Amino acid sequence: MKAKILLFTFAILCVALITGCENDDFKEVVGVCPIVESTTPLSNALDVPLGQIITATFNEEMDPSSITSTSFTVVGAAPIAGTVTYTGNTASFTPTLPLAENTTYTARIATKAKDLMGNFLQVEHVWAFSTGTLLRPIVITTDPINNAIAVPFNKTISATFNMAMDPSTLNATTFKVNQGVNVVAGAITYTGTTVSFVPTNPLLANKIYTVTITTGAKNSLNTAMVADYVWNFTTDIIPTVTATDPINNAIDVALNQTVTANFSTIMDASTINGTTFTLKQGTTTIPGTVSYSGTTASFNPTNSLVIGKVYTATITNGAKNVVGTPLASDYVWNFTTILAPPAAIVVDLGTAAMFGAFGGNAGMTNEGLNTVINNGSIGTTAASSMVTGFHDGVAIYTETGLNVGNVTGDIFTAPPAPGTATSFAIAQKALLDANAAYLSISPASKPGGSDPNAGELGGLTLAPGVYKSASGTFKISNGNLTLDAQGDPNATWIFQTAAGLTVGIAGPTGAKSVIMKNGGLANNVFWYVGSAATINGAGGGTMVGTIIANSGVTFSTSGNAAQTVLNGRAISLVSSVTMVNTTINVP
């Protein structure tokens, strides 16, 4: 029996000598030696994340009670605190605090670690690794930008980072919006590298908001920002109507009134239109043109307003400023037009009133067989030779077989015959009177004229009054012009243009006319023209009123057979008057 025991003991000692393992029961015993097969990080690893969990994996299952903070240690500049756990064949060391940047650490598994058979690690396992300098997340852009103003009330607030973030760290604790001390409620989302905050309720007008992203926001490697990121913005003001013309409840408003409204801020011109800016008389919608410039919206009625009526103007909250903020509510105001027709405007033509046409000091020309001056004369301070293609009851002025103009009154020129000293004196006086009348209807003498449609009179119906072209020219090209006397026999119209007057457009159907309505008289229509007037160059049409132009009047063009009619007078102060198959009916 003793021999058997000695033989067994010898066998154990032999195996122990071969394996080199130790356990608690024998100094040297038979068994497989535990070893560390792998580690995380690897030995000599660089740029290890600061949140790294350090692990060692063994070749066999170990005794968990031997895997402790005394057998598994990590040392940097000093030993670091951490929690040691063991699962499967792997021991883990979780640092209590993140590792330091740019630091070398030494991890150590001591020989106190043993397997389930009690076999100890024969040689402690030691490895080193180094952390790097971290690329920390930063906010690179925000919307709104810092110190932005006029921010819309429905603004989605966002911030974009320089790298991918951990979405779980972007929440109501790390992304905060405040208005003063008040916390703003909202929903937070994260996409790509951008975090967004959608307020639950619209932001308040004209308030400063503060947005904070704290260092609790971390990237996908669990690295935090160095410091909180804070920015501010101010919300928009609500636009208001600050003034109107006419003012609310105004009375005696002119029938050619352009209705305007001034805003407290610049508006989005596309939202100022015929839907958002309307004018009504009772339940009747008034047609007109809406325009916007600077901070002013304008409504130009297509037709003249009616005497003694109450009108209601409305600008709806569909009108918005340039960042999309609407009026808080519709803005409504009323006004009443004049209760009686305006006083008659008296224009004294003097001796010029008897002339159907006057060619200043440059003469007059007719081209056509059917030109006639009814109930009036023609004249010029130029020599009689400067009048061609006309005759009166006494003399012929260079007519040809193709150019015949019948003047039912007289022709007044300077000599030679048939001009005389007497006719010359009459022509001079007429030119002086015409010039005086020209000055009397000028903007200087009759200020306050309005431009109902940016210089285009075609297609309009206008009440009596003074009209002045803002651009310096008047046209009648988009249709006929109607002048509505509204039953007033003294209704007077004065049109002022610093430069030209053009009636009609090119083409066989291009002629345009002036139509008198409700008792309007041609004798009460006056045209102040700073340069030249061209009346229906394509021939045809009916013009109305006394035209006093500084630099000439032309009717039709050579070769046109269609008769062009003027119910009025054509007076040029300097240049000539030219007619082609023209009828002038002097009122």
PDB file of all heavy atoms in Angstrom, residues 518-553:
ATOM      1  N   ASN A 518     -71.614 111.259 -69.065  1.00  0.00           N
ATOM      2  CA  ASN A 518     -72.449 111.935 -68.073  1.00  0.00           C
ATOM      3  C   ASN A 518     -72.280 113.457 -68.079  1.00  0.00           C
ATOM      4  O   ASN A 518     -72.115 114.100 -67.042  1.00  0.00           O
ATOM      5  CB  ASN A 518     -72.174 111.389 -66.662  1.00  0.00           C
ATOM      6  CG  ASN A 518     -72.636 109.960 -66.497  1.00  0.00           C
ATOM      7  OD1 ASN A 518     -73.630 109.549 -67.099  1.00  0.00           O
ATOM      8  ND2 ASN A 518     -71.916 109.190 -65.705  1.00  0.00           N
ATOM      9  N   GLY A 519     -72.317 114.016 -69.296  1.00  0.00           N
ATOM     10  CA  GLY A 519     -72.343 115.464 -69.426  1.00  0.00           C
ATOM     11  C   GLY A 519     -70.989 116.130 -69.531  1.00  0.00           C
ATOM     12  O   GLY A 519     -70.904 117.364 -69.505  1.00  0.00           O
ATOM     13  N   GLY A 520     -69.906 115.362 -69.672  1.00  0.00           N
ATOM     14  CA  GLY A 520     -68.587 115.961 -69.812  1.00  0.00           C
ATOM     15  C   GLY A 520     -68.457 116.717 -71.128  1.00  0.00           C
ATOM     16  O   GLY A 520     -68.968 116.285 -72.163  1.00  0.00           O
ATOM     17  N   LEU A 521     -67.753 117.863 -71.095  1.00  0.00           N
ATOM     18  CA  LEU A 521     -67.597 118.704 -72.276  1.00  0.00           C
ATOM     19  C   LEU A 521     -66.132 118.779 -72.700  1.00  0.00           C
ATOM     20  O   LEU A 521     -65.238 118.925 -71.860  1.00  0.00           O
ATOM     21  CB  LEU A 521     -68.118 120.117 -71.975  1.00  0.00           C
ATOM     22  CG  LEU A 521     -69.595 120.218 -71.561  1.00  0.00           C
ATOM     23  CD1 LEU A 521     -69.930 121.664 -71.195  1.00  0.00           C
ATOM     24  CD2 LEU A 521     -70.498 119.707 -72.683  1.00  0.00           C
ATOM     25  N   ALA A 522     -65.910 118.724 -74.004  1.00  0.00           N
ATOM     26  CA  ALA A 522     -64.552 118.808 -74.534  1.00  0.00           C
ATOM     27  C   ALA A 522     -63.896 120.132 -74.172  1.00  0.00           C
ATOM     28  O   ALA A 522     -62.667 120.211 -74.019  1.00  0.00           O
ATOM     29  CB  ALA A 522     -64.584 118.627 -76.053  1.00  0.00           C
ATOM     30  N   ASN A 523     -64.693 121.176 -74.028  1.00  0.00           N
ATOM     31  CA  ASN A 523     -64.163 122.500 -73.728  1.00  0.00           C
ATOM     32  C   ASN A 523     -63.526 122.566 -72.337  1.00  0.00           C
ATOM     33  O   ASN A 523     -62.803 123.512 -72.024  1.00  0.00           O
ATOM     34  CB  ASN A 523     -65.287 123.540 -73.837  1.00  0.00           C
ATOM     35  CG  ASN A 523     -64.756 124.928 -74.141  1.00  0.00           C
ATOM     36  OD1 ASN A 523     -63.790 125.066 -74.893  1.00  0.00           O
ATOM     37  ND2 ASN A 523     -65.365 125.946 -73.555  1.00  0.00           N
ATOM     38  N   ASN A 524     -63.796 121.545 -71.485  1.00  0.00           N
ATOM     39  CA  ASN A 524     -63.284 121.538 -70.117  1.00  0.00           C
ATOM     40  C   ASN A 524     -62.188 120.493 -69.890  1.00  0.00           C
ATOM     41  O   ASN A 524     -61.929 120.105 -68.755  1.00  0.00           O
ATOM     42  CB  ASN A 524     -64.428 121.290 -69.130  1.00  0.00           C
ATOM     43  CG  ASN A 524     -65.410 122.442 -69.092  1.00  0.00           C
ATOM     44  OD1 ASN A 524     -65.044 123.586 -69.350  1.00  0.00           O
ATOM     45  ND2 ASN A 524     -66.670 122.133 -68.784  1.00  0.00           N
ATOM     46  N   VAL A 525     -61.554 120.049 -70.965  1.00  0.00           N
ATOM     47  CA  VAL A 525     -60.458 119.082 -70.866  1.00  0.00           C
ATOM     48  C   VAL A 525     -59.195 119.753 -71.392  1.00  0.00           C
ATOM     49  O   VAL A 525     -59.190 120.319 -72.499  1.00  0.00           O
ATOM     50  CB  VAL A 525     -60.752 117.805 -71.676  1.00  0.00           C
ATOM     51  CG1 VAL A 525     -59.595 116.816 -71.566  1.00  0.00           C
ATOM     52  CG2 VAL A 525     -62.066 117.173 -71.213  1.00  0.00           C
ATOM     53  N   PHE A 526     -58.112 119.701 -70.587  1.00  0.00           N
ATOM     54  CA  PHE A 526     -56.872 120.384 -70.953  1.00  0.00           C
ATOM     55  C   PHE A 526     -55.675 119.447 -70.757  1.00  0.00           C
ATOM     56  O   PHE A 526     -55.609 118.704 -69.786  1.00  0.00           O
ATOM     57  CB  PHE A 526     -56.682 121.645 -70.101  1.00  0.00           C
ATOM     58  CG  PHE A 526     -57.783 122.654 -70.276  1.00  0.00           C
ATOM     59  CD1 PHE A 526     -58.919 122.611 -69.463  1.00  0.00           C
ATOM     60  CD2 PHE A 526     -57.689 123.615 -71.268  1.00  0.00           C
ATOM     61  CE1 PHE A 526     -59.941 123.538 -69.640  1.00  0.00           C
ATOM     62  CE2 PHE A 526     -58.712 124.540 -71.445  1.00  0.00           C
ATOM     63  CZ  PHE A 526     -59.842 124.494 -70.632  1.00  0.00           C
ATOM     64  N   TRP A 527     -54.748 119.552 -71.718  1.00  0.00           N
ATOM     65  CA  TRP A 527     -53.546 118.731 -71.697  1.00  0.00           C
ATOM     66  C   TRP A 527     -52.322 119.639 -71.671  1.00  0.00           C
ATOM     67  O   TRP A 527     -52.080 120.376 -72.621  1.00  0.00           O
ATOM     68  CB  TRP A 527     -53.491 117.812 -72.910  1.00  0.00           C
ATOM     69  CG  TRP A 527     -54.662 116.875 -73.007  1.00  0.00           C
ATOM     70  CD1 TRP A 527     -55.880 117.124 -73.557  1.00  0.00           C
ATOM     71  CD2 TRP A 527     -54.706 115.535 -72.506  1.00  0.00           C
ATOM     72  NE1 TRP A 527     -56.704 116.033 -73.447  1.00  0.00           N
ATOM     73  CE2 TRP A 527     -56.006 115.035 -72.803  1.00  0.00           C
ATOM     74  CE3 TRP A 527     -53.803 114.707 -71.852  1.00  0.00           C
ATOM     75  CZ2 TRP A 527     -56.400 113.743 -72.460  1.00  0.00           C
ATOM     76  CZ3 TRP A 527     -54.191 113.416 -71.506  1.00  0.00           C
ATOM     77  CH2 TRP A 527     -55.476 112.948 -71.808  1.00  0.00           C
ATOM     78  N   TYR A 528     -51.566 119.584 -70.574  1.00  0.00           N
ATOM     79  CA  TYR A 528     -50.303 120.320 -70.445  1.00  0.00           C
ATOM     80  C   TYR A 528     -49.188 119.353 -70.825  1.00  0.00           C
ATOM     81  O   TYR A 528     -48.956 118.349 -70.130  1.00  0.00           O
ATOM     82  CB  TYR A 528     -50.140 120.811 -69.008  1.00  0.00           C
ATOM     83  CG  TYR A 528     -48.780 121.376 -68.665  1.00  0.00           C
ATOM     84  CD1 TYR A 528     -48.533 122.744 -68.752  1.00  0.00           C
ATOM     85  CD2 TYR A 528     -47.740 120.544 -68.240  1.00  0.00           C
ATOM     86  CE1 TYR A 528     -47.282 123.266 -68.426  1.00  0.00           C
ATOM     87  CE2 TYR A 528     -46.498 121.060 -67.918  1.00  0.00           C
ATOM     88  CZ  TYR A 528     -46.272 122.412 -68.010  1.00  0.00           C
ATOM     89  OH  TYR A 528     -45.031 122.937 -67.689  1.00  0.00           O
ATOM     90  N   VAL A 529     -48.487 119.625 -71.946  1.00  0.00           N
ATOM     91  CA  VAL A 529     -47.494 118.692 -72.476  1.00  0.00           C
ATOM     92  C   VAL A 529     -46.143 119.399 -72.535  1.00  0.00           C
ATOM     93  O   VAL A 529     -45.975 120.388 -73.254  1.00  0.00           O
ATOM     94  CB  VAL A 529     -47.895 118.175 -73.873  1.00  0.00           C
ATOM     95  CG1 VAL A 529     -46.867 117.172 -74.387  1.00  0.00           C
ATOM     96  CG2 VAL A 529     -49.286 117.555 -73.822  1.00  0.00           C
ATOM     97  N   GLY A 530     -45.184 118.883 -71.791  1.00  0.00           N
ATOM     98  CA  GLY A 530     -43.876 119.546 -71.697  1.00  0.00           C
ATOM     99  C   GLY A 530     -43.046 119.472 -72.945  1.00  0.00           C
ATOM    100  O   GLY A 530     -42.153 120.308 -73.159  1.00  0.00           O
ATOM    101  N   SER A 531     -43.276 118.477 -73.798  1.00  0.00           N
ATOM    102  CA  SER A 531     -42.525 118.395 -75.061  1.00  0.00           C
ATOM    103  C   SER A 531     -43.519 118.269 -76.208  1.00  0.00           C
ATOM    104  O   SER A 531     -44.179 119.239 -76.558  1.00  0.00           O
ATOM    105  CB  SER A 531     -41.523 117.240 -75.024  1.00  0.00           C
ATOM    106  OG  SER A 531     -42.173 116.008 -74.824  1.00  0.00           O
ATOM    107  N   ALA A 532     -43.657 117.068 -76.808  1.00  0.00           N
ATOM    108  CA  ALA A 532     -44.505 116.916 -77.989  1.00  0.00           C
ATOM    109  C   ALA A 532     -45.639 115.937 -77.727  1.00  0.00           C
ATOM    110  O   ALA A 532     -45.525 115.035 -76.889  1.00  0.00           O
ATOM    111  CB  ALA A 532     -43.672 116.439 -79.169  1.00  0.00           C
ATOM    112  N   ALA A 533     -46.719 116.092 -78.496  1.00  0.00           N
ATOM    113  CA  ALA A 533     -47.864 115.191 -78.425  1.00  0.00           C
ATOM    114  C   ALA A 533     -48.020 114.491 -79.760  1.00  0.00           C
ATOM    115  O   ALA A 533     -47.943 115.119 -80.819  1.00  0.00           O
ATOM    116  CB  ALA A 533     -49.132 115.958 -78.070  1.00  0.00           C
ATOM    117  N   THR A 534     -48.246 113.162 -79.705  1.00  0.00           N
ATOM    118  CA  THR A 534     -48.505 112.373 -80.913  1.00  0.00           C
ATOM    119  C   THR A 534     -49.872 111.727 -80.751  1.00  0.00           C
ATOM    120  O   THR A 534     -50.086 110.948 -79.814  1.00  0.00           O
ATOM    121  CB  THR A 534     -47.429 111.291 -81.112  1.00  0.00           C
ATOM    122  OG1 THR A 534     -46.156 111.915 -81.244  1.00  0.00           O
ATOM    123  CG2 THR A 534     -47.726 110.454 -82.353  1.00  0.00           C
ATOM    124  N   ILE A 535     -50.783 112.037 -81.672  1.00  0.00           N
ATOM    125  CA  ILE A 535     -52.165 111.583 -81.544  1.00  0.00           C
ATOM    126  C   ILE A 535     -52.472 110.560 -82.633  1.00  0.00           C
ATOM    127  O   ILE A 535     -52.518 110.877 -83.813  1.00  0.00           O
ATOM    128  CB  ILE A 535     -53.149 112.770 -81.646  1.00  0.00           C
ATOM    129  CG1 ILE A 535     -52.729 113.911 -80.712  1.00  0.00           C
ATOM    130  CG2 ILE A 535     -54.563 112.296 -81.349  1.00  0.00           C
ATOM    131  CD1 ILE A 535     -52.637 113.538 -79.252  1.00  0.00           C
ATOM    132  N   ASN A 536     -52.630 109.298 -82.218  1.00  0.00           N
ATOM    133  CA  ASN A 536     -53.020 108.194 -83.109  1.00  0.00           C
ATOM    134  C   ASN A 536     -52.202 108.172 -84.398  1.00  0.00           C
ATOM    135  O   ASN A 536     -52.705 108.435 -85.503  1.00  0.00           O
ATOM    136  CB  ASN A 536     -54.519 108.260 -83.414  1.00  0.00           C
ATOM    137  CG  ASN A 536     -55.358 107.829 -82.213  1.00  0.00           C
ATOM    138  OD1 ASN A 536     -55.005 106.886 -81.505  1.00  0.00           O
ATOM    139  ND2 ASN A 536     -56.453 108.535 -81.968  1.00  0.00           N
ATOM    140  N   GLY A 537     -50.948 107.825 -84.228  1.00  0.00           N
ATOM    141  CA  GLY A 537     -50.035 107.786 -85.363  1.00  0.00           C
ATOM    142  C   GLY A 537     -50.461 106.832 -86.450  1.00  0.00           C
ATOM    143  O   GLY A 537     -50.048 106.978 -87.608  1.00  0.00           O
ATOM    144  N   ALA A 538     -51.277 105.838 -86.119  1.00  0.00           N
ATOM    145  CA  ALA A 538     -51.758 104.889 -87.129  1.00  0.00           C
ATOM    146  C   ALA A 538     -53.038 105.354 -87.794  1.00  0.00           C
ATOM    147  O   ALA A 538     -53.580 104.667 -88.664  1.00  0.00           O
ATOM    148  CB  ALA A 538     -51.981 103.517 -86.483  1.00  0.00           C
ATOM    149  N   GLY A 539     -53.533 106.542 -87.395  1.00  0.00           N
ATOM    150  CA  GLY A 539     -54.757 107.059 -87.983  1.00  0.00           C
ATOM    151  C   GLY A 539     -55.981 106.570 -87.249  1.00  0.00           C
ATOM    152  O   GLY A 539     -55.992 105.502 -86.637  1.00  0.00           O
ATOM    153  N   GLY A 540     -57.058 107.402 -87.284  1.00  0.00           N
ATOM    154  CA  GLY A 540     -58.308 107.031 -86.654  1.00  0.00           C
ATOM    155  C   GLY A 540     -58.383 107.524 -85.215  1.00  0.00           C
ATOM    156  O   GLY A 540     -57.491 108.193 -84.708  1.00  0.00           O
ATOM    157  N   GLY A 541     -59.477 107.172 -84.527  1.00  0.00           N
ATOM    158  CA  GLY A 541     -59.648 107.525 -83.134  1.00  0.00           C
ATOM    159  C   GLY A 541     -60.137 108.949 -82.943  1.00  0.00           C
ATOM    160  O   GLY A 541     -60.065 109.786 -83.835  1.00  0.00           O
ATOM    161  N   THR A 542     -60.642 109.202 -81.728  1.00  0.00           N
ATOM    162  CA  THR A 542     -61.155 110.525 -81.378  1.00  0.00           C
ATOM    163  C   THR A 542     -60.473 111.000 -80.100  1.00  0.00           C
ATOM    164  O   THR A 542     -60.622 110.381 -79.045  1.00  0.00           O
ATOM    165  CB  THR A 542     -62.673 110.497 -81.161  1.00  0.00           C
ATOM    166  OG1 THR A 542     -63.309 110.084 -82.371  1.00  0.00           O
ATOM    167  CG2 THR A 542     -63.186 111.871 -80.759  1.00  0.00           C
ATOM    168  N   MET A 543     -59.744 112.100 -80.217  1.00  0.00           N
ATOM    169  CA  MET A 543     -59.099 112.731 -79.067  1.00  0.00           C
ATOM    170  C   MET A 543     -59.968 113.883 -78.606  1.00  0.00           C
ATOM    171  O   MET A 543     -60.704 114.495 -79.398  1.00  0.00           O
ATOM    172  CB  MET A 543     -57.708 113.222 -79.470  1.00  0.00           C
ATOM    173  CG  MET A 543     -56.911 113.880 -78.352  1.00  0.00           C
ATOM    174  SD  MET A 543     -56.609 112.729 -77.007  1.00  0.00           S
ATOM    175  CE  MET A 543     -55.663 113.775 -75.893  1.00  0.00           C
ATOM    176  N   VAL A 544     -59.896 114.192 -77.285  1.00  0.00           N
ATOM    177  CA  VAL A 544     -60.738 115.242 -76.721  1.00  0.00           C
ATOM    178  C   VAL A 544     -59.885 116.197 -75.892  1.00  0.00           C
ATOM    179  O   VAL A 544     -59.017 115.761 -75.142  1.00  0.00           O
ATOM    180  CB  VAL A 544     -61.851 114.641 -75.838  1.00  0.00           C
ATOM    181  CG1 VAL A 544     -62.615 115.743 -75.103  1.00  0.00           C
ATOM    182  CG2 VAL A 544     -62.814 113.814 -76.678  1.00  0.00           C
ATOM    183  N   GLY A 545     -60.163 117.506 -76.022  1.00  0.00           N
ATOM    184  CA  GLY A 545     -59.567 118.496 -75.150  1.00  0.00           C
ATOM    185  C   GLY A 545     -58.637 119.450 -75.868  1.00  0.00           C
ATOM    186  O   GLY A 545     -58.272 119.266 -77.037  1.00  0.00           O
ATOM    187  N   THR A 546     -58.241 120.497 -75.147  1.00  0.00           N
ATOM    188  CA  THR A 546     -57.283 121.472 -75.659  1.00  0.00           C
ATOM    189  C   THR A 546     -55.884 121.013 -75.296  1.00  0.00           C
ATOM    190  O   THR A 546     -55.534 120.922 -74.116  1.00  0.00           O
ATOM    191  CB  THR A 546     -57.547 122.860 -75.052  1.00  0.00           C
ATOM    192  OG1 THR A 546     -58.855 123.302 -75.467  1.00  0.00           O
ATOM    193  CG2 THR A 546     -56.507 123.856 -75.501  1.00  0.00           C
ATOM    194  N   ILE A 547     -55.090 120.688 -76.319  1.00  0.00           N
ATOM    195  CA  ILE A 547     -53.713 120.248 -76.134  1.00  0.00           C
ATOM    196  C   ILE A 547     -52.813 121.464 -76.289  1.00  0.00           C
ATOM    197  O   ILE A 547     -52.794 122.098 -77.347  1.00  0.00           O
ATOM    198  CB  ILE A 547     -53.321 119.167 -77.159  1.00  0.00           C
ATOM    199  CG1 ILE A 547     -54.280 117.977 -77.094  1.00  0.00           C
ATOM    200  CG2 ILE A 547     -51.886 118.710 -76.943  1.00  0.00           C
ATOM    201  CD1 ILE A 547     -54.145 117.009 -78.262  1.00  0.00           C
ATOM    202  N   ILE A 548     -52.076 121.800 -75.224  1.00  0.00           N
ATOM    203  CA  ILE A 548     -51.084 122.871 -75.323  1.00  0.00           C
ATOM    204  C   ILE A 548     -49.721 122.217 -75.084  1.00  0.00           C
ATOM    205  O   ILE A 548     -49.385 121.852 -73.960  1.00  0.00           O
ATOM    206  CB  ILE A 548     -51.317 124.000 -74.309  1.00  0.00           C
ATOM    207  CG1 ILE A 548     -52.756 124.511 -74.382  1.00  0.00           C
ATOM    208  CG2 ILE A 548     -50.350 125.139 -74.563  1.00  0.00           C
ATOM    209  CD1 ILE A 548     -53.081 125.617 -73.398  1.00  0.00           C
ATOM    210  N   ALA A 549     -48.982 122.030 -76.158  1.00  0.00           N
ATOM    211  CA  ALA A 549     -47.687 121.349 -76.095  1.00  0.00           C
ATOM    212  C   ALA A 549     -46.575 122.348 -76.372  1.00  0.00           C
ATOM    213  O   ALA A 549     -46.730 123.243 -77.215  1.00  0.00           O
ATOM    214  CB  ALA A 549     -47.632 120.208 -77.102  1.00  0.00           C
ATOM    215  N   ASN A 550     -45.479 122.176 -75.689  1.00  0.00           N
ATOM    216  CA  ASN A 550     -44.348 123.086 -75.916  1.00  0.00           C
ATOM    217  C   ASN A 550     -43.724 122.862 -77.284  1.00  0.00           C
ATOM    218  O   ASN A 550     -43.341 123.814 -77.964  1.00  0.00           O
ATOM    219  CB  ASN A 550     -43.296 122.887 -74.832  1.00  0.00           C
ATOM    220  CG  ASN A 550     -42.131 123.849 -74.963  1.00  0.00           C
ATOM    221  OD1 ASN A 550     -42.258 125.030 -74.684  1.00  0.00           O
ATOM    222  ND2 ASN A 550     -40.980 123.336 -75.407  1.00  0.00           N
ATOM    223  N   SER A 551     -43.638 121.602 -77.718  1.00  0.00           N
ATOM    224  CA  SER A 551     -42.788 121.303 -78.875  1.00  0.00           C
ATOM    225  C   SER A 551     -43.496 120.533 -79.973  1.00  0.00           C
ATOM    226  O   SER A 551     -42.929 119.623 -80.575  1.00  0.00           O
ATOM    227  CB  SER A 551     -41.558 120.513 -78.407  1.00  0.00           C
ATOM    228  OG  SER A 551     -40.875 121.209 -77.392  1.00  0.00           O
ATOM    229  N   GLY A 552     -44.730 120.869 -80.261  1.00  0.00           N
ATOM    230  CA  GLY A 552     -45.377 120.311 -81.444  1.00  0.00           C
ATOM    231  C   GLY A 552     -46.459 119.310 -81.154  1.00  0.00           C
ATOM    232  O   GLY A 552     -46.463 118.631 -80.118  1.00  0.00           O
ATOM    233  N   VAL A 553     -47.404 119.196 -82.115  1.00  0.00           N
ATOM    234  CA  VAL A 553     -48.481 118.217 -82.049  1.00  0.00           C
ATOM    235  C   VAL A 553     -48.558 117.558 -83.420  1.00  0.00           C
ATOM    236  O   VAL A 553     -48.562 118.234 -84.450  1.00  0.00           O
ATOM    237  CB  VAL A 553     -49.835 118.866 -81.700  1.00  0.00           C
ATOM    238  CG1 VAL A 553     -50.915 117.787 -81.577  1.00  0.00           C
ATOM    239  CG2 VAL A 553     -49.741 119.674 -80.414  1.00  0.00           C
TER     240      VAL A 553
END
